[in-house]
Amino acid sequence: MSIINIAVDGPAGAGKSSISKAVAKKLGYIYVDTGALYRTIGLNALRLGLDTKNAEDVTKTLESVKVELIFINGEQRVFLGNEDVSEAIRTPEASMAASNVSAIPAVREFLFDLQRDIAKKNSCLMDGRDIGTVVLPDAQIKIFMTASANERAMRRYKELVKKGMEVEFDKVLLELIERDYNDSHRKIAPLKPAEDSIIIDTSGLSLDSSVDLVLKTVKEKLINEKL
Ligand code: DC
């Protein structure tokens, strides 16, 4: 069977990770969350007490940082050196740090091969911001997933509250808008739909309905294009 790559891009909170994870499971593909890589570089810089917008300082950290994605029973874990940081990268501070370091060209270059290698060897759904445009321009299927800012912020807010974090909705919304702006206005690999992507808006859709919609879209494309 040939290797199928599905690129899933879109803004923060569009439901990319939960939806992609469920779709990947149903298809028997691996799910790759590339945001975790940027978050890990951001977390490392934060721990070193650096300004995550300082390109020179962050670039220096790449000389010694070791980031690895490991798949355990199909579940992705991300390692910073020997430490599993899969949970530590999920704080609002790490989110903003990730957005900041992701605008640094050396960081994107550093993570490029790692992402490409996984896709070369595995049928996968890879989620990020530039997967269909830069990392996997030849992906057989490209999806751009989006939803209204308010709905995306509400989802993120509920997620954080569920994890026991003390957050205010307005702050989550403002941070999300700031992150959207950063991600779509940076000079290198900005967030934008690939020309050949299928746009899926999950506003007002439950997780199950979104999963069904994506799965249907993918299956149609696999059949119609005999992939
Ligand atoms: O998907 P996420 O929220 O975990 O991503 C964290 C940040 O990393 C996001 O603000 C933008 C950046 N990112 C990126 O620039 N390119 C990717 N392929 C994935 C994430």
Side-chain angles (χ1 to χ4, degrees), residues 44-224:
N44 186 48
L46 281 180
R47 285 181 175 176
L48 291 168
L50 303 179
D51 168 3
T52 52
K53 284 190 177 167
N54 185 315
E56 202 178 319
D57 285 356
V58 174
T59 302
K60 266 196 210 128
T61 68
L62 302 175
E63 288 168 17
S64 53
V65 78
K66 195 171 154 243
V67 183
E68 239 183 319
L69 287 186
I70 295 185
F71 295 87
I72 303 171
N73 296 329
E75 181 96 8
Q76 172 183 306
R77 308 295 300 180
V78 61
F79 280 76
L80 172 59
N82 293 324
E83 182 190 352
D84 183 342
V85 291
S86 309
E87 272 82 41
I89 56 169
R90 297 291 157 198
T91 63
E93 293 75 25
S95 299
M96 200 48 88
S99 183
N100 289 339
V101 301
S102 73
I104 301 170
V107 171
R108 305 203 73 83
E109 206 174 301
F110 179 77
L111 297 173
F112 186 78
D113 288 343
L114 200 160
Q115 300 170 79
R116 284 282 280 249
D117 285 349
I118 296 173
K120 230 184 253 171
K121 295 182 193 136
N122 305 276
S123 284
C124 65
L125 255 92
M126 188 173 279
D127 127 19
R129 302 292 188 286
D130 62 338
I131 308 304
T133 50
V134 178
V135 179
L136 304 176
D138 297 327
Q140 292 94 332
I141 304 178
K142 297 179 184 175
I143 291 172
F144 192 84
M145 206 177 281
T146 187
S148 71
N150 217 56
E151 177 144 350
R152 290 187 288 118
M154 184 50 80
R155 290 178 188 163
R156 191 46 56 100
Y157 170 75
K158 285 185 183 160
E159 233 172 69
L160 294 170
V161 169
K162 208 167 155 191
K163 284 185 188 159
M165 292 185 196
E166 264 186 47
V167 281
E168 286 166 37
F169 173 75
D170 287 354
K171 201 158 170 241
V172 174
L173 177 62
L174 278 180
E175 280 185 2
L176 186 123
I177 291 171
E178 188 181 340
R179 224 149 54 88
D180 278 358
Y181 187 87
N182 278 348
D183 296 347
S184 48
H185 287 80
R186 63 177 178 227
K187 284 200 192 84
I188 180 163
L191 169 68
K192 62 168 186 208
E195 274 179 20
D196 48 350
S197 64
I198 302 164
I199 312 259
I200 293 188
D201 189 329
T202 64
S203 304
L205 291 185
S206 67
L207 176 61
D208 285 348
S209 316
S210 308
V211 170
D212 287 347
L213 177 61
V214 174
L215 205 55
K216 183 168 161 270
T217 309
V218 167
K219 284 187 174 163
E220 271 172 13
K221 188 116 175 132
L222 288 174
I223 293 168
N224 290 344

